[in-house]
Amino acid sequence: MSNSSQQRLYNATNRLVAALERLELGLQQVTVGRERDVQQHQHLLSYQRENEALLEEQEKMQTTIMNLQQQYEELQGVASTIYGKLDTSIERLTQILDK
């Protein structure tokens, strides 16, 4: 082989090695990007599950609050009835004592 032929082969080999290095670097960047995307997707799924659990808990709490409000209103009605009966009893006792 002649010197110029060897030089061309050497230059071609260097270009090929440089191209392979660029491809490898690009592949590494794609791999890192995919891993990052997978990790972000996993975080997103985790946040989504947590959000669903929180929404479910919020619905349970709203139902509990509504039930408590209803019970409070019922107790207010009972208390009002008792107060009315006590007031009537006091009036009757007062009338009896005044006679």
Side-chain angles (χ1 to χ4, degrees), residues 10-74:
Y10 178 77
N11 289 341
T13 303
N14 281 341
R15 287 194 307 268
L16 180 60
V17 168
L20 288 173
E21 286 174 352
R22 286 192 305 271
L23 282 174
E24 186 177 344
L25 180 63
L27 181 61
Q28 286 175 351
Q29 290 174 351
V30 168
T31 302
V32 168
R34 281 188 183 164
E35 289 174 0
R36 184 177 47 237
D37 289 347
V38 166
Q39 188 177 21
Q40 286 176 347
H41 183 68
Q42 289 173 346
H43 284 141
L44 179 63
L45 290 176
S46 173
Y47 294 145
Q48 184 178 7
R49 284 190 297 270
E50 184 177 347
N51 191 32
E52 289 171 357
L54 289 171
L55 287 173
E56 186 177 316
E57 188 65 28
Q58 180 184 15
E59 288 177 14
K60 288 178 184 177
M61 290 176 71
Q62 286 175 337
T63 301
T64 301
I65 288 171
M66 287 177 18
N67 289 337
L68 289 172
Q69 285 176 334
Q70 183 179 4
Q71 290 174 1
Y72 177 75
E73 290 171 4
E74 290 172 3

